[in-house]
Amino acid sequence: MRKVLIPTDLSAQSLKIAEEAFKMYPDEIIDVLLVYPYHLPLWSSELYWFSPVKIITEHTDEHFARAKDDLVRKYFRNISSIYTELFTGVNSLAFDNFRVHHQIQTAVVPQKGFLDFSHDDTFDPVDLIIKTVPEVQRAKIEKEVDHNTQRQKSGLYNLIQKVFRS
């Protein structure tokens, strides 16, 4: 059985990386570890109430849960388990300890910019994964463009251009 580490921003789109992992290893049973990077709070009073489960729950939306259910239904024959863990370290040594603890030898990562780690409390773990995991595969997936958002942005952009031209 293979354990595969996959970075996630807890978006439904991030589960496409897991789907690619199942396509890369079609004849194997896989344990999927979705890793969500998180900066620890700075204040000791915040650490007192720190709960990884609560953080993952707060950052997960209905779309992610539905996409995860769809993934499990589609690849149930290949899934031993699929779970999410918080990584709170800051460097490759910490990530290597995390990897060893979870007995990870394989990772599947997307291209840069596929996942959204723009929140203040997260960071992109792909470089740490590449440095520490022995076998890293690149998923060849494209980011879906939300056409409604794109139209809104282009409409706003056009409005700003008109204002500055006046």
Side-chain angles (χ1 to χ4, degrees), residues 46-116:
E46 291 175 325
L47 283 173
Y48 184 73
W49 300 106
F50 179 75
S51 166
V53 173
K54 183 179 174 189
I55 291 165
I56 290 169
T57 303
E58 287 174 353
H59 287 82
T60 303
D61 64 5
E62 185 180 317
H63 300 292
F64 180 82
R66 203 172 315 125
K68 187 176 173 185
D69 288 344
D70 291 344
L71 184 72
V72 169
R73 274 193 291 282
K74 186 173 182 180
Y75 294 100
F76 70 93
R77 287 188 172 92
N78 302 84
I79 298 174
S80 172
S81 65
I82 183 166
Y83 58 101
T84 307
E85 289 283 336
L86 213 58
F87 172 69
T88 58
V90 294
N91 57 27
S92 57
L93 281 173
F95 199 86
D96 195 44
N97 286 337
F98 177 86
R99 179 193 67 79
V100 168
H101 173 74
H102 290 285
Q103 301 171 347
I104 300 293
Q105 293 298 317
T106 306
V108 178
V109 297
Q111 66 273 13
K112 288 277 187 190
F114 182 78
L115 298 172
D116 179 19

Side-chain angles (χ1 to χ4, degrees), residues 22-39:
F22 292 119
K23 290 176 184 176
M24 289 175 188
Y25 307 106
D27 300 327
E28 295 187 47
I29 306 285
I30 301 175
D31 276 334
V32 177
L33 170 58
L34 300 169
V35 62
Y36 182 67
Y38 188 80
H39 290 295

Side-chain angles (χ1 to χ4, degrees), residues 115-157:
L115 298 172
D116 179 19
F117 294 109
S118 60
H119 304 290
D120 290 340
D121 55 1
T122 65
F123 58 94
D124 190 347
V126 171
D127 290 336
L128 293 174
I129 293 170
I130 291 170
K131 286 180 186 176
T132 59
V133 177
E135 180 188 336
V136 178
Q137 302 287 336
R138 287 271 182 188
K140 294 177 177 80
I141 48 180
E142 296 292 322
K143 190 171 190 172
E144 284 184 13
V145 177
D146 183 3
H147 296 292
N148 290 334
T149 305
Q150 193 175 24
R151 283 187 202 118
Q152 290 172 353
K153 286 182 180 177
S154 64
L156 181 60
Y157 179 74

Side-chain angles (χ1 to χ4, degrees), residues 152-164:
Q152 290 172 353
K153 286 182 180 177
S154 64
L156 181 60
Y157 179 74
N158 290 338
L159 178 65
I160 291 171
Q161 280 186 327
K162 287 179 185 177
V163 168
F164 282 110

